[in-house]
Amino acid sequence: MDTPELTPQEAARWALRAGLPLADERHGAVAATAQHIHAVIGTLRELDFGETPPAAVYAAPWEATHATL
Amino acid sequence: MQPFELTLTEAAAAIRTKELSPSELTHSVLERITAVDARLGAYVSVVGDAARHAAAQAEREIAAGRHRGPLHGVPFGLKDLIDVAGLPTTASSRVRADHMAEADSTVAARLFEAGAVLVGKTHTHEFAYGLTTPQSRNAWDHGRVAGGSSGGSAVAVAAGAATFALGTDTGGSIRVPAALNGLVGLKPTYGLLPRHGVTPLSWSLDHVGPLTRTVQDAALVLAALTGHDSRDPASLRTGPASDVLPADGGLRGLRVGVPATYYFERVTPEVEAAVRGAIERLRELGAELVEVDIPMARYVLATHWGLMVPEASAYHEWTMRSVPGLYGSDIRVLLEAGELVTAGDYLRAQRARTLMRQEWAQVRERVDVIAAPTVPMTAAMAGQESVEWQDGTVEGVSDAYVRLSAPANITGMPSLTLPVGRDGAGLPIGMQLMGAPLAEATLLRVGQAYEAAYGAPAVPAAVLA
């Protein structure tokens, strides 16, 4: 799914909602970078996670117990 | 041969037999730093007086019969994200200009306990948020990048300006600079080495590990660093599993996974040829090659960014509001934009990690190790921003360097890179060996077998003063 274009004004407003006031000259660069980040991570929306729980950190002991090695 | 040219294993043997004193070795390494570091930019700071004092103390202890082990009296560098009491941890950032560490990190404390001699703190890409380390130059070609983010550590070891060093790895930051500088680098299993006192980039992806000139050297450093520390919530209570190989030293019975997808895509022909050649040599040493498909390849970068980007912005939240102008422009914009990643995005990445962990575990049921290129290309020119692949796609240099490393960070499995050749320009090429969680002993064993049979001499790079 394509992410709608993020305008500099929207990026500034979104950042402000996150508690980060951005100076005017930052709006364009932050919008462009945020757009790129969302384009990359947006591919995860393709996945049907079903009942899959989140892995907050990687749990090696679980792996070590369940792996064949 | 000068003492600074010795590998850790060689230096340890010479110290043990009293052919070489810790002071002689430390003096030689400090002289080497003086001779080459203005050109290489590996170090943020050098602690010559403290190093000479520590070496002299090691010498007295060894003379008195109190030899602590193979690291005793051996000089090392620490990536400047790793705390040492009484020294600033600059993270190679102006944000940390007034920083002073009050206590040793766990890994530094363990190296000091083993008698190792700190010679200095090495450059990192600012706060480890990048793959090039622009302050440092590649040890083999000074017009090319060191790799990152543990670039200073790699350059120091590759040039003989440290006998070994520690780095950190969130998306390849030990293995990438190790590969680009012709070194061995180990990203251990997530949680095996405690990160207490190490500045984080991304808590759920960060690892600490060694950069060395040989596989045996990496094994010696790893042994000194393992052990639970409750001050790191991810620290494991279990140590590495034992080796799966028979004890005769060969690789007979070892199943080596050869990726049919992902790891050889968008890779330079020279890197592919060198790594495929090295894999064939593993077969000649007795291993069985098994073709494997890499799961969820399309989602590696998305999962990695979905975890790292918001975690990094969270860590820097306060300083991004108080002193944003002190950050370098490349990481400032990433930290700002990272605040626009939602909780939904982050949870999606965490759930993708669950799936990736499960699917990689299935791959590892069929093989003992997976062998693949560490990075898709050798060291880029300094300032180069992108690379164009044979299929016509264009990729950022940092994205290219992180691409083949990130799966081991997301899944937590250990990965060892070792040098397996050079390209036509003489630049080093690395191969990574990935294995099951806590299978460090197997990776090191395979790496050592390769190195013993086919490895090039582990000599430091020649550096013109």
Side-chain angles (χ1 to χ4, degrees), chain B residues 272-297:
Chain B
E272 175 165 4
V275 175
R276 288 201 187 279
I279 291 171
E280 180 58 24
R281 287 165 169 177
L282 295 178
R283 192 186 64 74
E284 290 169 9
L285 290 170
E288 174 196 353
L289 305 186
V290 179
E291 193 172 277
V292 294
D293 284 318
I294 300 304
M296 297 182 68

Side-chain angles (χ1 to χ4, degrees), chain A residues 4-69:
Chain A
E5 185 79 19
L6 183 68
T7 68
Q9 293 74 23
E10 287 170 336
R13 183 169 169 74
W14 200 347
L16 194 59
R17 293 276 297 206
L20 179 67
L22 291 175
D24 289 351
E25 65 270 19
R26 302 296 305 158
H27 295 181
V30 172
T33 302
Q35 180 73 27
H36 182 54
I37 291 170
H38 282 90
V40 170
I41 65 179
T43 61
L44 296 179
R45 293 178 186 275
E46 299 168 3
L47 295 169
D48 178 2
F49 291 106
E51 301 301 316
T52 306
V57 292
Y58 174 75
W62 184 94
E63 279 279 326
T65 305
H66 289 75
T68 55
L69 292 180

Side-chain angles (χ1 to χ4, degrees), chain A residues 19 26 46 52-53 56 58 63, chain B residues 298-299 336 351 354 364 411:
Chain A
R26 302 296 305 158
E46 299 168 3
T52 306
Y58 174 75
E63 279 279 326
Chain B
R298 175 173 165 76
Y299 305 104
E336 289 168 329
R351 298 176 85 187
T354 303
R364 291 192 305 260
T411 65

